């Protein structure tokens, strides 16, 4: 289910095993995340040389990325290329939503029903539905009565949106907002950003790829991919983690190291020291540095203070920006703090905060997703004896390796809850899971078994391990 990176690679492997397989996809094209998220400025924050499939030598040698961080359009073109190159399209059914998957105890098969009215019966069901695919549009009173246009970053119109001459509200300040606000501000008359929690951002310093550097990586790609698989975030070939504690560095060393990482740009900032994500005092040194940068970059001290987070850097995934903070120096951009005083309601003319109406023509919901479980829980999944997945997860999602759920035989969740997933380079994590599922199917058949599912104890152990981390 799903024709993003995960579904396509799974289909390719199913073909390799000689299985009959079908991918069912809600969108009218392949690409998943990169099909839906077309908001202005959308790019990946993992370098393109690493955010790409490593399973096929010819593919990785022949494909040419043009920038250090690929745009949404370039990644979508890559996914399309993969679908064509590996002859996947014939087994992909587009514009079709899977509604229910029910395990039939008597036959040991899954019965899958979908919006096209066709019932499919399958031995295996692989949920390649993504971690961040079910859009979250907050249920603010009056939302549907707003007179202007509304958009969600993860459901962006394919034809693009013209904001010129418009007054725009952007709700949210996560990665999608951080990437899109500078673009919207460059076009619109006025932009009001509604911030509930300030976000940490480090500069991308995106640039065209240097051909010589690309050739060097390609000559050593197998080694790069292996290093990615061996690292906790599944990437980091450019600037690996320094195995030094921030607590052993004096002020001058900290400044020098953080300056260097700031200049390099991107998520490697968090790899400046090995304890930034393990020790609160170490983390505080990075936080102090970024707050200092925000104070330098933002002219108005009050706005700079509001933009400065008081949270752990990198606990929520760090944002990678191009001109985000500086955008608040533009005369047409305002920051509205909704941390203690939330958006009360949305009037026909715009959002109301603290009794004050902010009149706008358009509202952009950069409000994220029903993350990790949303896409799965929107499908009626029933395992053994008709037990709904929602029941199994009523106290929170439980899985084994993030890949399977006890009581749901032969159902797999690629990058499911309880796996590293969004804390990593997703493509590497997807490849690992798809290869695990492929191996499991081979092992089942070799051993003459019909189904595979985790034992309750194994699942409990895994959940305990994840919670401990
Ligand atoms: P997000 O990180 O969940 O951000 C949603 C934002 O909306 C937050 O600032 C949230 O505030 C705010 N919000 C939600 N409901 C609200 C309400 N009722 N009132 C006011 N504010 C509200 O979503 P996202 O930016 O789409 O990013 C999701 C994930 O996608 C990221 O963590 C990242 O993993 C990935 N992503 C990656 C890239 C990239 O590769 N460059 C780009 C975009 C997204 P609170 O923080 O207070 O909840």
């Amino acid at each position: 289910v799903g024709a993003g990176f995960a579904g396509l690679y799974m289909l390719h492997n199913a073909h390799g095993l000689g299985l009959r397989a079908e991918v069912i996809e809600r969108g009218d094209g392949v690409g998943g995340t990169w099909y839906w998220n077309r908001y202005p400025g959308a790019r990946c924050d993992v370098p393109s040389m690493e955010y790409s499939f490593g399973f096929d030598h010819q593919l990785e040698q022949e494909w040419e990325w043009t920038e250090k961080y690929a745009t949404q359009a370039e990644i979508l073109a890559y996914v399309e290329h993969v679908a064509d190159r590996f002859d996947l399209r014939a087994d992909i059914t587009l514009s079709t939503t899977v509604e229910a998957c029910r395990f039939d105890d008597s036959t040991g098969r899954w019965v899958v029903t979908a919006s096209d009215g066709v019932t499919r019966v399958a031995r295996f069901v692989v949920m390649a539905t993504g971690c961040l695919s079910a859009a979250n549009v907050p249920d603010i009173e009056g939302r549907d009565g707003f007179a202007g246009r509304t958009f969600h970053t993860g459901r962006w119109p394919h034809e693009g949106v013209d904001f010129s001459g418009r007054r725009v509200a952007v709700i949210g300040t996560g990665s999608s907002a951080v990437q899109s606000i500078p673009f919207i501000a460059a076009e619109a008359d006025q932009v009001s950003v509604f911030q509930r929690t300030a976000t940490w951002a480090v500069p991308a310093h995106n640039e065209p790829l240097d051909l010589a550097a690309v050739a060097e990586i390609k000559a050593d790609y197998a080694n790069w991919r292996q290093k990615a698989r061996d690292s906790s975030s599944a990437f980091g070939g450019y600037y690996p983690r320094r195995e030094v504690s921030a607590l052993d560095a004096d002020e001058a060393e900290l400044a020098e190291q953080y300056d260097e990482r700031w200049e390099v740009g991107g998520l490697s900032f968090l790899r400046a020291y090995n304890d930034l994500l393990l020790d609160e005092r170490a983390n505080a040194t990075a936080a102090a540095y970024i707050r200092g940068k925000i104070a330098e970059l933002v002219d108005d001290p009050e706005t700079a203070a509001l933009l400065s987070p008081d949270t752990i850097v990198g606990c929520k995934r760090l944002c990678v920006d191009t001109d985000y903070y500086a955008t608040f120096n533009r005369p047409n951009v305002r920051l509205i703090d909704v941390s203690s005083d939330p958006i009360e309601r949305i009037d026909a003319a715009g959002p109301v905060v603290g009794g004050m109406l902010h009149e706008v023509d358009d509202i952009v919901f950069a409000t994220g997703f029903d993350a990790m479980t949303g896409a799965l829980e929107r499908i009626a999944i029933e395992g053994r004896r008709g037990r709904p997945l929602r029941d199994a997860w009523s106290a929170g999602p439980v899985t084994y390796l993030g890949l399977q759920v006890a009581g749901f035989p032969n159902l797999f969740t690629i990058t499911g809850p309880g796996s590293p997933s969004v804390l990593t380079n997703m493509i590497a994590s997807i490849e690992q899971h798809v290869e695990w599922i492929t191996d499991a199917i081979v092992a089942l058949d070799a051993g003459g078994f019909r189904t595979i599912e985790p034992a309750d104890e194994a699942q409990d152990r895994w959940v305990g391990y994840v919670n401990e981390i």
Side-chain angles (χ1 to χ4, degrees):
V1 184
F5 275 96
L8 294 187
Y9 185 36
M10 191 70 242
L11 179 58
H12 177 59
N13 275 10
H15 285 165
L17 294 179
L19 299 175
R20 280 192 300 132
E22 180 184 4
V23 170
I24 305 167
E25 163 60 51
R26 183 159 40 115
D28 60 12
V30 300
T33 288
W34 303 102
Y35 169 89
W36 296 103
N37 287 270
R38 300 172 188 240
Y39 60 82
R43 282 179 194 276
C44 187
D45 55 15
V46 173
S48 47
M49 293 302 292
E50 300 188 81
Y51 191 84
S52 46
F53 279 131
F55 71 82
D56 187 87
H57 178 70
Q58 278 314 104
L59 169 66
E60 69 182 7
Q61 290 298 322
E62 285 169 24
W63 183 265
E64 287 171 11
W65 296 106
T66 62
E67 293 176 86
K68 183 170 173 192
Y69 298 103
T71 58
Q72 172 270 335
E74 194 167 43
I75 299 172
L76 188 59
Y78 174 76
V79 184
E80 300 265 0
H81 171 78
V82 167
D84 291 330
R85 184 178 184 114
F86 298 104
D87 279 331
L88 302 177
R89 291 194 194 268
D91 290 321
I92 301 173
T93 304
L94 298 172
S95 312
T96 304
T97 302
V98 170
E99 291 166 344
C101 298
R102 297 195 167 88
F103 185 71
D104 182 338
D105 292 285
S106 62
T107 60
R109 305 272 143 157
W110 284 91
V111 179
V112 178
T113 50
S115 59
D116 59 0
V118 178
T119 298
R120 285 126 172 127
V121 176
R123 186 171 166 216
F124 301 102
V125 172
V126 181
M127 292 294 170
T129 39
C131 302
L132 301 164
S133 48
N136 168 49
V137 182
D139 193 13
I140 302 171
E141 188 196 320
R143 183 194 69 190
D144 299 334
F146 176 62
R149 305 181 298 181
T150 57
F151 307 97
H152 185 276
T153 48
R155 291 284 175 278
W156 207 258
H158 289 199
E159 62 281 11
V161 179
D162 184 2
F163 287 112
S164 42
R166 317 272 298 179
R167 296 163 303 171
V168 184
V170 179
I171 302 177
T173 50
S175 291
S176 303
V178 161
Q179 288 189 327
S180 57
I181 286 168
F183 284 81
I184 297 170
E187 198 172 281
D189 237 28
Q190 198 192 91
V191 177
S192 307
V193 177
F194 293 78
Q195 173 184 275
R196 187 163 68 182
T197 311
T199 200
W200 297 106
V202 296
H205 294 313
N206 184 40
E207 58 194 6
L209 276 173
D210 172 58
L211 290 182
V214 168
E216 227 172 87
I217 292 173
K218 285 189 173 177
D220 191 31
Y221 233 150
N223 195 22
W224 268 66
R225 302 291 193 191
Q226 191 52 46
K227 275 201 253 172
R229 286 179 166 224
D230 290 344
S231 85
S232 61
S233 57
F235 77 108
Y238 284 97
Y239 275 83
R241 190 169 76 178
R242 286 170 68 247
E243 296 305 330
V244 179
S245 164
L247 300 175
D248 291 337
D250 63 25
E251 298 247 321
E253 284 167 327
L254 285 169
E256 190 186 334
Q257 187 52 226
Y258 288 138
D259 277 345
E260 191 183 320
R261 295 278 168 160
W262 190 268
E263 278 320 306
V264 169
L267 295 168
S268 83
F269 188 85
L270 286 173
R271 295 194 287 263
Y273 294 99
N274 66 3
D275 50 358
L276 294 183
L277 295 175
L278 297 175
D279 188 310
E280 218 170 320
R281 292 165 307 157
N283 193 274
T285 65
Y289 179 86
I290 303 180
R291 280 196 210 101
K293 281 289 179 192
I294 297 171
E296 272 172 34
L297 289 166
V298 179
D299 299 339
D300 172 42
E302 219 171 286
T303 306
L306 266 182
L307 286 168
S308 295
D310 56 6
T311 50
I312 303 283
V313 184
C315 180
K316 180 176 172 171
R317 185 161 161 155
L318 184 61
C319 297
V320 176
D321 81 293
T322 300
D323 298 335
Y324 174 64
Y325 293 122
T327 295
F328 290 90
N329 297 332
R330 297 178 66 108
N332 67 332
V333 178
R334 293 184 299 171
L335 184 64
I336 294 140
D337 175 23
V338 294
S339 57
S340 46
D341 213 354
I343 301 172
E344 272 164 51
R345 61 176 194 282
I346 297 179
D347 265 8
V352 178
V353 180
M356 190 180 149
L357 169 68
H358 296 267
E359 262 188 76
V360 294
D361 304 306
D362 299 319
I363 298 179
V364 173
F365 289 95
T367 42
F369 302 90
D370 183 354
M372 303 310 302
T373 52
L376 295 167
E377 292 191 334
R378 285 172 199 203
I379 301 170
I381 300 174
E382 291 174 10
R384 288 194 191 280
R385 290 172 292 283
R387 186 179 192 203
L389 183 68
R390 282 192 203 96
D391 269 19
W393 286 3
S394 58
V398 287
T399 67
Y400 176 64
L401 305 179
L403 263 162
Q404 281 215 282
V405 184
F408 295 79
N410 288 4
L411 178 85
F412 300 97
T413 52
I414 298 176
T415 65
S419 74
S421 68
V422 291
L423 296 174
T424 66
N425 169 6
M426 285 299 277
I427 310 298
S429 287
I430 284 168
E431 287 187 323
Q432 185 195 34
H433 273 191
V434 169
E435 286 160 19
W436 192 97
I437 296 165
T438 309
D439 290 348
I441 293 173
V442 170
L444 275 181
D445 286 348
F449 300 107
R450 280 157 48 107
T451 60
I452 181 171
E453 68 189 285
D456 287 321
E457 311 83 76
Q459 182 167 278
D460 290 346
R461 266 202 311 277
W462 178 255
V463 171
Y465 175 63
V466 171
N467 290 346
E468 188 187 321
I469 291 173

